[in-house]
Amino acid sequence: MLGPPIVMIEKVCKSFGENHVLRDVSLTVRQGEVVVICGRSGSGKSTLLRCIDQLETIDGGTIRAAGHLMGFRERNGKRQPLRDAEIAVQQRDLGMVFQNFNLFPHISVIENITLAPVRILKRKRAEVREEARELLKRVGLPDKENAYPRQLSGGQQQRVAIARALAMKPKVMLFDEPTSALDPEMISEVLDVMTGLSEQGMTMIVVTHEMGFARAAADRVILMHDGGIVEEAAPEKFFGNPESEHTRLFLSKILHH
C-alpha cells in the first residue's frame, strides 16, 4: 500500500541559458512508491532529480519533498529563497546516489558512511558505526568496512555510496543513473540492492536505462522527452501498450540492443 504524497513537483521549469531543460514538469510520488524515469540523453531527467535535491535551482514552479518546500520558505503568502545552510537541512531528508559514487578516496568505507551522521546530525560515533555495519550487511559488503574506495570494484563502491546515503535515514532516495559507470557484470549487484530497498518500502525516484529493473521494481515508469513528461504508466502498460509515439520509439531502440 502506498502512503500519502511525499514528493510533489508542480509546473517546474529550468533553463540553462537558451536551453529549456525542464518545461512545466509536474509529478507526484507517494510514500513507498518506486518511480523510474527514463528517456534519451538530454531529456531533462537528471536535471529534474538535481532540482528535487536542490543541486540546481528552479526557474519556476514548486517542489515539495519530505515535508519541505525545497529551496524556499513561505511568509505571508510570499516566497523567500533559503540560504545554503537552510537548504542543507532540507537535503538531509533526501538521499542522493550519483553515477560516479563520489566517495571520499582518503578515508575507509566505514568512515565514508559515518562521516555525515556524526558531523551533520551530531550523532554518537559508536551508535553510527553499529548502524553502518548493519548497512554494509544490507548492501552485501559486511567484510569491507576497513577497505578504501580504490580497493573496491565499481559495483562495490556504488553499494557503499547507497549505504552512505541510507546512513542519514532519508525519507526519499534519488538515484541518478546509478549503474551507468559500471561494467556490465557489476550492474546486477547494484540493482539487487535497489530492488531490496524497494521491497522494504523505501520511496525511490530512479533515473536509469535498466529496463529490467523498471519492469521488476517500479510502481510507475515515466518517459521524459525534450524537458517534459510524455508517458507515465504502470510497468505492464508502459512496456506492453504505451500511448506515446515517443515511448514506442524509445523502447524499440533500447530493448533491441
Side-chain angles (χ1 to χ4, degrees), residues 5-202:
I6 188 165
V7 178
M8 288 160 286
I9 300 165
E10 283 173 50
K11 294 194 163 15
V12 163
C13 299
K14 174 70 185 171
S15 298
F16 295 107
E18 296 291 293
N19 184 10
H20 294 285
V21 188
L22 297 175
R23 305 165 187 265
D24 275 343
V25 174
S26 295
L27 173 67
T28 298
V29 179
R30 295 171 64 176
Q31 210 168 341
E33 190 173 17
V34 177
V35 173
V36 167
I37 303 177
C38 52
R40 292 205 312 238
S41 177
S43 59
K45 52 196 193 302
S46 289
T47 302
L48 181 62
L49 270 201
R50 293 176 65 82
C51 287
I52 296 170
D53 199 30
Q54 290 298 294
L55 299 172
E56 302 285 356
T57 53
I58 57 178
D59 299 330
T62 51
I63 298 175
R64 292 179 193 276
H68 306 289
L69 174 60
M70 298 303 292
F72 297 94
R73 73 160 63 80
E74 279 176 313
R75 284 236 173 104
N76 312 328
K78 288 207 173 73
R79 278 191 193 182
Q80 301 169 332
L82 297 178
R83 295 195 304 274
D84 287 351
E86 296 168 307
I87 289 173
V89 172
Q90 295 186 334
Q91 288 168 327
R92 290 176 194 174
D93 287 330
L94 306 176
M96 182 86 160
V97 177
F98 299 91
Q99 291 180 25
N100 298 329
F101 331 133
N102 292 5
L103 298 174
F104 295 113
H106 58 288
I107 58 177
S108 68
V109 161
I110 198 151
E111 288 168 327
N112 263 286
I113 296 170
T114 56
L115 187 68
V118 171
R119 197 172 281 184
I120 297 172
L121 301 181
K122 308 282 186 250
R123 295 188 53 212
K124 291 198 176 70
R125 187 176 296 272
E127 215 173 89
V128 173
R129 280 182 90 86
E130 273 315 295
E131 286 175 16
R133 290 193 178 103
E134 284 304 310
L135 287 169
L136 282 170
K137 277 189 205 146
R138 252 173 101 175
V139 299
L141 297 169
D143 54 341
K144 296 295 185 195
E145 65 174 82
N146 297 316
Y148 283 80
R150 66 174 178 279
Q151 298 168 314
L152 303 179
S153 70
Q156 290 171 328
Q157 289 189 57
Q158 191 59 295
R159 286 185 280 157
V160 172
I162 293 171
R164 179 179 65 177
L166 291 171
M168 292 293 281
K169 301 192 185 337
K171 297 183 176 134
V172 179
M173 285 284 283
L174 307 171
F175 293 86
D176 188 6
E177 304 205 19
T179 58
S180 65
L182 299 179
D183 295 332
E185 67 274 14
M186 291 172 193
I187 289 174
S188 64
E189 64 190 51
V190 172
L191 294 177
D192 288 348
V193 168
M194 292 168 61
T195 303
L197 285 179
S198 76
E199 285 162 0
Q200 289 153 358
M202 174 59 79

